[in-house]
Amino acid sequence: MSYRPKPIDTSKVTLSEEILELTEHLAEHTHDIWAQQRMDQGWTYGEKRDDDKKLHPCLIPYEELPENEKNYDRNTSLETLKAILALGYRFVK
């Protein structure tokens, strides 16, 4: 395999408190989009993940997710916000 991920370098990007607050809203949105896509594909809640039966324990509201799952969504949101700034875009409110 020759694929080598090349994420945007966000190491020098700092986010304001206002933008950091946005991270949690985007993390919840990310989870809801993922959950809706799964449900549209026929997945339902199950205590243990079962790909054959399309059961997943994370098909629950964001606020009920374990912290490690929330952190996955938070990191995705945080890095997206940082990438936007690293690419030269700015947030205007």
Side-chain angles (χ1 to χ4, degrees), residues 13-78:
V13 176
T14 56
L15 300 176
S16 69
E17 277 300 314
E18 186 177 34
I19 298 301
L20 282 173
E21 290 175 17
L22 183 58
T23 302
E24 194 68 15
H25 295 291
L26 292 176
E28 183 173 359
H29 178 70
T30 298
H31 172 70
D32 285 346
I33 293 296
W34 170 84
Q36 186 63 62
Q37 289 172 339
R38 287 290 175 141
M39 290 174 177
D40 289 348
Q41 296 166 354
W43 286 71
T44 58
Y45 172 80
E47 287 189 28
K48 292 189 177 186
R49 181 176 175 157
D50 185 322
D51 290 352
D52 293 330
K53 294 180 182 176
K54 293 188 173 184
L55 300 174
H56 203 293
C58 291
L59 286 173
I60 56 177
Y62 178 79
E63 56 272 359
E64 296 177 22
L65 287 173
E67 280 303 305
N68 66 317
E69 293 294 334
K70 287 182 183 179
N71 285 336
Y72 181 86
D73 293 327
R74 286 177 185 132
N75 188 56
T76 299
S77 300
L78 182 68

